[in-house]
């Protein structure tokens, strides 16, 4: 079954500390993985896609097929990073539907 | 328009009442999606349109839920005889084609059934 797991509901780190938001997935084929972010009082927005291999706002995520993970990382957290982060998966056999994790609330303490 | 617009932002309905939620996607976006997000959960897929065609409605939880997009632009999600378990945020998203490259989301409609 297709599934996305974000084991941490809440993650709290100090400003300047490294951040890692965990995402594990279950999918039998070759998935496409995404991170979406929702800042307070704002709508969900795409942060990054694994196929782009990009760094957005200092965040990166590497797809590890062996561990079936797509963890989101940032070396030095900033207060404006505080938000809800969702990991999502799309399979090649489903060119539209995303399967979502339950989300992790990231709080950056000053 | 500049973004995906949803209305109303908030809706309180009495149990048994019918509701209609509107989504105005970005102009020219072929694909339109509805998701349901319960408190503390990630979004759950409801249905998908490509232009006016509803290609997938497998996520609609019951036959009380109905969605349409008659002219391939604005979409309406209708819930008949609302129940308390329908309370959630209903998200609409659109994209140029499919969803593989990411969606643009609306702000959502928060439905509370009392």
């Amino acid at each position: 079954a297709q599934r996305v797991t974000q084991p941490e509901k809440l993650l709290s780190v100090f400003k300047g500390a490294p951040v890692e938001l965990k995402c594990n997935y279950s999918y039998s084929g070759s998935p496409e993985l995404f991170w979406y972010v929702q800042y307070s009082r704002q709508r969900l927005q795409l942060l990054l896609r694994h196929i782009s291999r990009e760094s957005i706002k200092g965040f990166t995520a590497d797809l590890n097929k062996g561990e079936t993970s797509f963890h989101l990382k940032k070396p030095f957290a900033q207060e404006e990073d505080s938000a809800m982060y969702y990991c999502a998966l799309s399979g090649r056999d489903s060119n539209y539907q995303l399967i979502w994790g339950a989300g992790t609330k990231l709080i950056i303490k000053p | 328009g500049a973004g995906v617009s949803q209305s109303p932002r908030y809706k309180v309905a009495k149990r048994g009442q019918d509701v209609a939620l509107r989504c105005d996607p970005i102009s020219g976006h072929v694909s339109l999606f509805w998701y349901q997000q319960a408190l503390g959960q990630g979004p759950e897929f409801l249905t998908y349109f490509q232009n006016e065609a509803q290609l997938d409605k497998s996520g609609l939880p019951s036959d009380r839920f109905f969605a349409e997009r008659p002219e391939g632009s604005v979409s309406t999600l209708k819930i008949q005889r609302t129940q308390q378990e329908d309370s959630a945020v209903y998200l609409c998203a659109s994209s140029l084609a499919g969803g593989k490259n990411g969606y643009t989301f609306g702000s959502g409609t928060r439905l509370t059934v009392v």
Side-chain angles (χ1 to χ4, degrees), chain A residues 32-103:
Chain A
E32 297 192 18
L33 276 296
F34 304 81
W35 276 100
Y36 279 79
V37 61
Q38 187 169 27
Y39 300 102
S40 179
R41 302 184 188 279
Q42 295 187 28
R43 58 192 67 190
L44 263 174
Q45 56 187 283
L46 178 66
L47 182 61
L48 54 80
R49 305 172 284 162
H50 93 268
I51 56 172
S52 300
R53 305 185 70 80
E54 57 205 342
S55 173
I56 303 292
K57 299 184 179 182
F59 285 97
T60 58
D62 291 318
L63 179 61
N64 185 322
K65 292 186 178 180
E67 296 182 358
T68 60
S69 69
F70 187 56
H71 303 327
L72 184 68
K73 300 177 184 179
K74 184 170 183 176
F76 306 104
Q78 299 172 298
E79 287 186 67
E80 55 264 33
D81 296 329
S82 295
M84 280 293 296
Y85 290 82
Y86 293 93
C87 182
L89 171 156
S90 175
R92 288 186 188 277
D93 60 352
S94 169
N95 66 352
Y96 49 82
Q97 186 184 139
L98 288 178
I99 308 298
W100 298 78

Side-chain angles (χ1 to χ4, degrees), chain A residues 15-30:
Chain A
K15 176 182 170 183
V19 171
E20 181 177 67
L21 296 158
K22 291 184 168 49
C23 173
N24 290 91
Y25 66 89
S26 172
Y27 185 72
S28 57
S30 294

Side-chain angles (χ1 to χ4, degrees), chain B:
Chain B
V4 178
S5 177
Q6 289 188 248
S7 61
R9 284 296 306 275
Y10 304 94
K11 176 69 179 177
V12 178
K14 290 185 177 178
R15 194 170 56 176
Q17 186 179 349
D18 296 350
V19 298
L21 312 180
R22 177 187 168 106
C23 173
D24 224 315
I26 292 175
S27 178
H29 275 195
V30 168
S31 302
L32 185 146
F33 312 81
W34 284 98
Y35 281 83
Q36 181 190 58
Q37 186 173 20
L39 190 64
Q41 301 295 319
E44 296 273 349
F45 173 79
L46 292 177
T47 187
Y48 162 62
F49 289 86
Q50 186 169 309
N51 294 309
E52 69 278 4
Q54 189 175 23
L55 298 187
D56 189 339
K57 55 181 181 179
S58 63
L60 296 177
S62 78
D63 59 8
R64 296 185 294 103
F65 287 70
F66 171 77
E68 60 183 4
R69 194 186 184 196
E71 297 177 359
S73 55
V74 171
S75 178
T76 304
L77 176 67
K78 297 179 179 177
I79 309 173
Q80 296 177 320
R81 305 181 304 281
T82 52
Q83 303 294 314
Q84 279 193 316
E85 61 263 27
D86 299 336
S87 296
V89 175
Y90 290 85
L91 295 168
C92 178
S94 69
S95 73
L96 276 170
K100 294 185 104 167
N101 295 318
Y103 308 152
T104 301
F105 277 90
S107 298
T109 293
R110 182 178 295 279
L111 173 65
T112 303
V113 181
V114 297

